[in-house]
Amino acid sequence: MGEIVLKNVTKKFGSNTVIQNLNLTIKDGSFTVLVGPSGCGKTTLLRMIAGIGPQTSGTVCIDGKDISEVAPGDRGVAMVFQNYAIYPTMSVYENIEFGLKNNHIPKDKRRKLVDDACEKVGLQELKDRQPNALSGGQRQRVALARAIVKQPSVFLMDEPLSNLDAKLRVQMRVELIELHHKLKTTFVYVTHDQIEAMSMADTIVLMNEGKIMQMDSPRKLYRDPDNLFAARFIGSPAMNIRRFGNEEYVLGFRPEKGIISTQEPQGCYRTSGTVVAKEDLGSEIHYSVRDMYDDVSVIRSEEDDITVGEKVWIGAKPENIYLFGNDQLRIREDDPRYPDLCRQVLALQ
Amino acid sequence: MYKVRKRIGSVISVILKLIVSFIFIFPFLWMLSVSLQSDAETQSMSLTLIPKVLQFQNYVNAWHSAPFPLYIRNSLLIIVGIVVLQMLIMVPAAYAFAKMEFKGKNILFGIILIAFMMPIQIRFIPIYFMMSDWNLIDTLWSQIIPHMTDAFGIFLLRQYFMQVPDELIEAAKLDKSTDLQIMWKIMLPMSRPGVASVILLSFVGHWNDYFWPLVMTNSDAVRPITIGVARLKATEGSLFWNTIMAGNMFLVIPVLIIYFFMARNIIKSFTYTGIK
């Protein structure tokens, strides 16, 4: 129905190469999120699939068919844009109907399809409105309905929630997940927000500087990052890191796996410092502790009597520590260097 | 103190506006006044501003002293021809300059801007020869074809089209629209004020055009109203200013009517800030 394969795609803007020889397979029916910092090439990739920013070289296939030379309107894809891109001079109904009209679908069938799409996103009451009389959330729904109505095999979404307020964003997130379940087609979603990526995706493609850093399920990406970039990008507050062994290696641990105590912890990596901030978020408490190198974050879910300015010990158990080499790649348990590095970490002060 | 200063400021601003308005409106009001005066009033040494008796007969005289219905018909045919052809040519041109990438785009646009800066008096001799070669002198076509496109119109429309976000065009392409559909169904409706002002500027410019038809025509059958009004002077022999001004009113009234209908759009087009 909607498997997307990108083969050796390269994209250049003038002399500037944004993506070089990238290969990616997006599974049919998956909710794949392309995530990464600004300028990492995720939107460029999406526009390649849509055909509105074609690749300089390489091929894009949907369902095994090379669509590199196929016009955007004939690719069987629908796209939701960041600023919605609703036609301002057409009513909600006309906006949704426009694509069907261009596809020469008969009028009564069009009406039925538009009605169905409106129902799916909750726009039944607003069909005759003009776009300027809609709120941001409603415009977003029009953009979604316009995509749904075409019954595409692939949905492409370019940061569709970034213009909404925080509360609406959370609500729309849930609605998009539901919509994916209902439609069972391939969703490709671009965002720079790792929380959106974690909460919606079944597969995350993490990108940086035009390269795929890791492609995995949210859980695997969080718990088992392949490299330092993935480890640092996913998770908030970010993973704590420290260089060791003549700056050659990096150790990291997640704030929620950190131990904070007034006593020196045993059998752990440990460091001591002063509490510089304590943020009580209700369900959890975030500590920032400054040791001799850097600030370290620790999250605790229980109340305790540690106060700002107090000298404390920070620790992390060996099983919660991630090790990375000079090449930024992960050093896993099966690596010959692992046992020795572990010993070094435990001996660190 | 601040309030007083603000008051004085606004009083000065109103006075200045009144002065400027007066400078622009007075000749028109005087024309209206003269067109309704008697012969004696127009020729007396003392200035008459409000006629004692309104002489509507002047309008009847003017109407009968030249074939005005024919002139008006010609003018309308020329204007409609020009505006329709201009839209058919300028809208796609402006769209291409605003939203398409092609080799030589900037050079071509530069050439158009140069044309925009060149007065018609420089170009009329070669165009005259061209029209003459095509046997179009003394026809309506020689008054339409040279004005089929207008550099300023292309420039203005291009500015409007550039304000339409690219995403809209991309969305339309994903909705399987052709460039032609994007132009007529999305760009044009979104640029309505701009299109209206281009049409109006073209209308006023060509309705009032005197030089071009004078060069291109020899007979009444194809002459527009401007030439007709000017000929009032000749046909009347001695100068009957009231009749001439009445003829001028025929020239001005259609422009006023159009302006009143389109005023809102035009003001919008010159104060436009962008599409939200």
Side-chain angles (χ1 to χ4, degrees):
Chain A
M1 260 299 282
E3 188 195 52
I4 305 164
V5 180
L6 298 153
K7 271 185 232 154
N8 291 321
V9 291
T10 297
K11 177 74 184 180
K12 290 180 186 170
F13 292 105
S15 59
N16 185 15
T17 305
V18 182
I19 290 173
Q20 185 136 34
N21 286 331
L22 182 138
N23 289 290
L24 172 65
T25 300
I26 295 172
K27 264 194 248 146
D28 175 31
S30 69
F31 197 135
T32 299
V33 175
L34 308 179
V35 68
S38 299
C40 71
K42 53 197 191 297
T43 297
T44 308
L45 213 57
L46 196 75
R47 292 167 59 86
M48 262 181 214
I49 301 171
I52 51 179
Q55 65 277 15
T56 314
S57 65
T59 54
V60 179
C61 302
I62 295 182
D63 287 329
K65 205 177 115 216
D66 184 354
I67 53 158
S68 304
E69 297 296 320
V70 177
D74 297 322
R75 292 187 170 197
V77 303
M79 184 155 167
V80 178
F81 292 84
Q82 182 173 5
N83 60 4
Y84 321 134
I86 294 170
Y87 312 125
T89 53
M90 299 184 199
S91 71
V92 169
Y93 186 91
E94 289 165 332
N95 255 286
I96 302 169
E97 191 194 24
F98 188 65
L100 299 178
K101 251 185 175 170
N102 293 339
N103 272 310
H104 307 292
I105 289 167
K107 196 170 179 188
D108 41 338
K109 199 176 170 201
R110 276 198 322 249
R111 175 164 315 217
K112 202 185 161 299
L113 286 168
V114 174
D115 285 344
D116 284 352
C118 285
E119 206 187 304
K120 281 207 182 84
V121 297
L123 274 176
Q124 299 96 313
E125 310 296 316
L126 304 171
K127 272 186 287 199
D128 300 319
R129 289 260 190 107
Q130 290 296 314
N132 56 13
L134 298 176
S135 69
Q138 288 164 340
R139 284 178 203 191
Q140 185 58 68
R141 282 165 215 270
V142 175
L144 273 177
R146 201 170 62 181
I148 293 169
V149 80
K150 288 193 279 187
Q151 299 173 315
S153 51
V154 174
F155 276 87
L156 306 172
M157 302 190 191
D158 186 9
E159 309 210 18
L161 305 185
S162 58
N163 287 0
L164 302 178
D165 64 58
K167 207 169 166 188
L168 201 53
R169 205 177 304 160
V170 175
Q171 185 194 333
M172 287 300 289
R173 227 150 66 188
V174 176
E175 287 183 25
L176 280 177
I177 295 169
E178 275 179 41
L179 190 68
H180 179 243
H181 280 296
K182 258 191 249 174
L183 300 173
K184 297 187 172 59
T185 49
T186 312
F187 277 42
V188 185
Y189 187 106
V190 162
T191 182
H192 62 266
D193 179 351
Q194 47 123 344
I195 297 182
E196 254 175 43
M198 292 294 283
S199 63
M200 296 166 76
D202 47 44
T203 307
I204 293 180
V205 179
L206 178 64
M207 294 182 66
N208 189 33
E209 290 172 348
K211 292 184 197 73
I212 296 175
M213 302 308 288
Q214 190 170 355
M215 179 173 171
D216 260 316
S217 70
R219 171 169 288 254
K220 181 112 193 302
L221 196 60
Y222 184 80
R223 308 219 166 157
D224 193 13
D226 282 346
N227 48 57
L228 191 57
F229 179 82
R232 292 282 290 166
F233 191 84
I234 302 290
S236 172
M239 180 183 279
N240 298 304
I241 56 165
R242 179 177 162 188
R243 296 198 166 270
F244 68 100
N246 290 330
E247 303 275 301
E248 207 176 312
Y249 299 102
V250 176
L251 72 88
F253 63 95
R254 297 241 174 242
E256 63 274 23
K257 299 289 186 191
I259 298 162
I260 182 165
S261 161
T262 45
Q263 259 95 58
E264 185 174 351
Q266 297 302 313
C268 284
Y269 160 72
R270 59 205 181 277
T271 177
S272 66
T274 317
V275 179
V276 290
K278 179 178 179 181
E279 301 163 72
D280 193 340
L281 305 184
S283 59
E284 56 193 31
I285 302 168
H286 290 198
Y287 291 98
S288 291
V289 178
R290 189 160 300 159
D291 69 1
M292 56 193 293
Y293 306 101
D294 206 354
D295 280 7
V296 181
S297 307
V298 176
I299 299 175
R300 291 202 59 169
S301 49
E302 297 119 57
E303 180 61 39
D304 52 39
D305 48 13
I306 293 170
T307 54
V308 174
E310 204 172 334
K311 287 245 181 265
V312 289
W313 284 92
I314 297 287
K317 290 187 181 148
E319 64 265 32
N320 291 328
I321 286 182
Y322 301 87
L323 297 174
F324 304 91
N326 215 5
D327 52 3
Q328 311 249 315
L329 293 181
R330 177 90 177 274
I331 298 170
R332 290 197 161 84
E333 282 87 340
D334 51 7
D335 192 291
R337 293 169 291 178
Y338 187 81
D340 183 47
L341 287 172
C342 254
R343 268 194 296 280
Q344 280 189 43
V345 164
L346 292 183
L348 283 174
Q349 273 293 342
Chain B
M1 196 55 208
Y2 172 70
K3 260 191 178 168
V4 174
R5 232 187 290 158
K6 212 171 145 192
R7 239 310 153 59
I8 295 171
S10 71
V11 168
I12 292 174
S13 130
V14 168
I15 292 172
L16 283 175
K17 280 175 198 157
L18 283 175
I19 293 173
V20 171
S21 307
F22 181 77
I23 291 171
F24 279 94
I25 292 170
F26 181 73
F28 175 75
L29 291 180
W30 198 7
M31 177 170 94
L32 181 67
S33 161
V34 172
S35 77
L36 292 166
Q37 288 173 15
S38 66
D39 293 350
E41 279 170 321
T42 57
Q43 277 152 26
S44 80
M45 286 303 287
S46 63
L47 185 67
T48 314
L49 276 183
I50 298 165
K52 283 203 188 71
V53 183
L54 298 180
Q55 303 286 332
F56 288 106
Q57 185 61 33
N58 294 338
Y59 284 79
V60 180
N61 292 347
W63 188 261
H64 288 302
S65 59
F68 271 101
L70 181 67
Y71 291 149
I72 290 176
R73 188 204 71 152
N74 288 342
S75 274
L76 285 176
L77 284 175
I78 292 166
I79 292 293
V80 170
I82 288 175
V83 168
V84 168
L85 284 174
Q86 279 192 343
M87 283 296 119
L88 287 177
I89 292 168
M90 288 175 3
V91 168
Y95 174 64
F97 280 123
K99 292 294 179 189
M100 286 178 163
E101 288 308 323
F102 52 90
K103 263 199 186 136
K105 175 172 152 175
N106 291 332
I107 292 171
L108 278 177
F109 193 66
I111 291 172
I112 287 182
L113 287 184
I114 290 171
F116 168 39
M117 290 177 236
M118 216 184 271
I120 191 96
Q121 280 77 0
I122 293 178
R123 290 174 287 162
F124 87 94
I125 291 176
I127 297 177
Y128 183 87
F129 283 129
M130 211 191 245
M131 292 295 129
S132 169
D133 284 348
W134 296 350
N135 284 325
L136 291 178
I137 298 297
D138 207 28
T139 63
L140 291 178
W141 286 113
S142 62
Q143 302 171 69
I144 295 174
I145 291 172
H147 305 300
M148 272 190 327
T149 174
D150 170 50
F152 179 65
I154 293 177
F155 176 74
L156 199 68
L157 285 175
R158 169 181 169 267
Q159 298 308 104
Y160 262 85
F161 290 169
M162 277 166 66
Q163 292 184 33
V164 174
D166 287 340
E167 283 90 348
L168 275 182
I169 295 169
E170 288 163 0
K173 282 192 177 150
L174 281 161
D175 271 346
K176 217 179 168 177
S177 316
T178 58
D179 279 316
L180 215 60
Q181 280 171 317
I182 293 173
M183 221 153 56
W184 295 111
K185 292 188 175 165
I186 294 165
M187 303 290 257
L188 270 190
M190 283 182 74
S191 313
R192 221 176 281 154
V195 173
S197 47
V198 167
I199 290 177
L200 185 94
L201 290 175
S202 174
F203 178 91
V204 173
H206 295 296
W207 181 267
N208 289 334
D209 197 6
Y210 176 76
F211 176 77
W212 196 261
L214 190 67
V215 172
M216 293 294 164
T217 63
N218 307 317
S219 61
D220 271 344
V222 293
R223 280 185 166 157
I225 186 168
T226 38
I227 304 279
V229 170
R231 282 194 45 192
L232 281 178
K233 270 202 301 203
T235 52
E236 293 295 319
S238 60
L239 290 176
F240 287 99
W241 283 112
N242 44 6
T243 314
I244 295 172
M245 290 304 151
N248 271 312
M249 290 302 289
F250 297 147
L251 189 64
V252 172
I253 287 167
V255 177
L256 284 181
I257 294 174
I258 298 252
Y259 180 76
F260 280 121
F261 276 113
M262 294 167 88
R264 254 211 350 223
N265 268 327
I266 291 152
I267 291 166
K268 225 196 217 165
S269 83
F270 287 106
T271 55
Y272 208 62
T273 50
I275 295 155
K276 263 177 249 152

